[in-house]
Amino acid sequence: MRERLQNKPVQNQFDISGLDLPAILATIEQEVRARFGEGEVADYIDALAKVPLDRFGMALVLRDGTIHEIGDSRDPFSIQSISKVHTLTMALDAVGEALWERVDREPSGDPFNSLLQLEYEKGIPRNPFMNAGALVVADVILSNYAKPEEALLEFMRARSGSADVGGDDVVAKSERESGFRNIATANFIRSYGNIVNDVDAVLDFYFLQCSLGMNCVDLARSVQFLSHSGFCDVSGKRVVSWELATRINSLMMTAGTYDAAGDFAFYVGLPAKSGVGGGIVAVVPHVMSLCVWYPGLDEKGNSMLGRYALHRFAQLTGLSVF
Ligand code: DON
């Protein structure tokens, strides 16, 4: 047993040399274009309500750095909750396993902005991807980084290889003005002592992370380390251990798409994280990272045709963690 634990983890489980990835992406784009207009934009954030429903982009980053992309893959959009993967990684880097004393690792089965479980679970959010969990993660970052906002931007720029990544003040302001539920959530958690910094500072950081503008290629590259056992080829740095990369992927599978995580596991079968800007990142462990963007959302807040595109991608390639 001991000897086994010292072995290197299995890699290259999937041989994709027989796949015509450009042709697969072209098929998906054609199918998605025929359905343009489906879903609703996130109109609770003014700035997002104006994005038209005729935008679709998709990008794949393979282990050797090859990029395949299609459609509006270089158009920046608001990454919203996709940022929760990156802030979780930063918080784990800062405090390690101690994070799990403050945030659980269970799927919630409730909407991303629900407060329901917080009272009977005494201010411990179910997982780091629902808003409550992301606010605690933001609090951990505020306590452990001297310049939290700069550290976040630096992390995003290093992972994506794009110096352009930045916050969008209009989106952040728009969200702050309508952020009654997030404000309530942060204060509620504070009342249990599971947020220790100034609530407004935690919320400002959270609204900044949600407002970051990135495109599909940037985002697929930003999670490339999760498809490469924790090593980021873009910056040439190890971001997390291979074991932690598998753990973050497992959280994306069980909670990355909120109360649709079961449906995503069923139809897509890949770890994924969505945002209400219409982006979804996904990971094929040891093979590639992906990002898809279509701004129309389903009732759970996940990109309607983004989910469809990932479903078709999994079907056409046969790639799945199951
Ligand atoms: O907290 C909010 O309401 C948003 N800024 C982020 C939510 C989000 O992206 C949920 N994802 N599907």
Side-chain angles (χ1 to χ4, degrees):
M1 183 63 176
R2 209 190 139 117
E3 197 176 311
R4 217 178 130 197
L5 284 174
Q6 285 166 352
N7 283 342
K8 287 219 157 115
V10 176
Q11 299 199 350
N12 291 325
Q13 296 174 71
F14 300 106
D15 176 11
I16 57 164
S17 57
L19 294 175
D20 185 347
L21 292 170
I24 289 171
L25 289 187
T27 302
I28 294 171
E29 187 188 25
Q30 200 181 16
E31 291 179 14
V32 166
R33 282 187 173 278
R35 293 178 55 178
F36 270 179
E38 289 188 22
E40 305 284 336
V41 284
D43 57 6
Y44 74 96
I45 303 173
D46 270 357
L48 299 188
K50 299 180 190 116
V51 185
L53 292 180
D54 59 356
R55 300 293 143 92
F56 171 74
M58 190 160 176
L60 322 175
V61 179
L62 308 188
R63 275 285 296 266
D64 67 2
T66 307
I67 295 175
H68 293 283
E69 55 186 304
I70 203 146
D72 305 308
S73 54
R74 301 274 170 164
D75 278 18
F77 58 89
S78 189
I79 75 169
Q80 295 293 319
S81 288
I82 295 174
S83 61
K84 292 170 183 170
V85 176
H86 308 90
T87 54
L88 169 66
T89 305
M90 288 175 67
L92 284 168
D93 191 37
V95 301
E97 292 282 312
L99 183 71
W100 308 123
E101 288 158 25
R102 296 181 55 187
V103 189
D104 209 347
R105 300 179 299 259
E106 294 300 332
S108 74
D110 278 328
F112 65 84
N113 55 8
S114 175
L115 280 96
L116 207 59
Q117 293 153 346
L118 272 179
E119 182 163 20
Y120 57 83
E121 293 177 356
K122 306 202 167 24
I124 305 289
R126 275 282 170 107
N127 63 68
F129 293 148
M130 57 191 312
N131 288 8
L135 288 163
V136 172
V137 166
D139 186 60
V140 169
I141 290 178
L142 258 57
S143 298
N144 287 280
Y145 288 83
K147 293 184 174 168
E149 300 194 344
E150 283 90 332
L152 172 64
L153 291 176
E154 207 176 288
F155 184 89
M156 290 308 230
R157 290 172 184 159
R159 296 295 78 76
S160 64
S162 165
D164 298 337
V165 178
D168 183 326
D169 292 343
V170 178
V171 175
K173 185 166 173 281
S174 166
E175 187 163 3
R176 192 172 237 304
E177 279 162 6
S178 61
F180 305 109
R181 196 171 266 262
N182 281 320
I183 295 166
T185 306
N187 279 293
F188 198 45
I189 300 172
R190 177 78 183 82
S191 77
Y192 287 100
N194 198 17
I195 279 182
V196 296
N197 290 284
D198 176 59
V199 170
D200 278 329
V202 173
L203 286 162
D204 283 343
F205 182 86
Y206 176 74
F207 293 136
L208 166 78
Q209 74 175 77
C210 289
S211 84
L212 297 181
M214 290 171 78
N215 62 39
C216 288
V217 174
D218 290 343
L219 274 168
R221 295 178 86 178
S222 78
V223 293
Q224 188 260 355
F225 69 97
L226 295 174
S227 72
H228 197 175
S229 307
F231 189 82
C232 168
D233 288 297
V234 183
S235 56
K237 294 216 167 83
R238 171 159 294 284
V239 182
V240 290
S241 66
W242 69 265
E243 194 175 9
L244 195 49
T246 66
R247 307 245 178 276
I248 296 171
N249 282 334
S250 74
L251 286 167
M252 284 166 67
M253 178 65 87
T254 54
T257 49
Y258 313 107
D259 43 341
D263 185 69
F264 260 75
F266 190 79
Y267 281 111
V268 178
L270 298 172
K273 181 76 209 80
S274 61
V276 292
I280 308 176
V281 295
V283 175
V284 187
H286 313 299
V287 180
M288 69 174 84
S289 55
L290 302 83
C291 180
V292 57
W293 172 54
Y294 169 80
L297 309 178
D298 61 21
E299 69 286 353
K300 307 268 172 89
N302 298 310
S303 169
M304 188 113 170
L305 300 184
R307 170 196 173 282
Y308 176 75
L310 289 174
H311 163 62
R312 289 292 286 141
F313 180 79
Q315 240 175 8
L316 293 167
T317 58
L319 293 169
S320 162
V321 299
F322 298 109

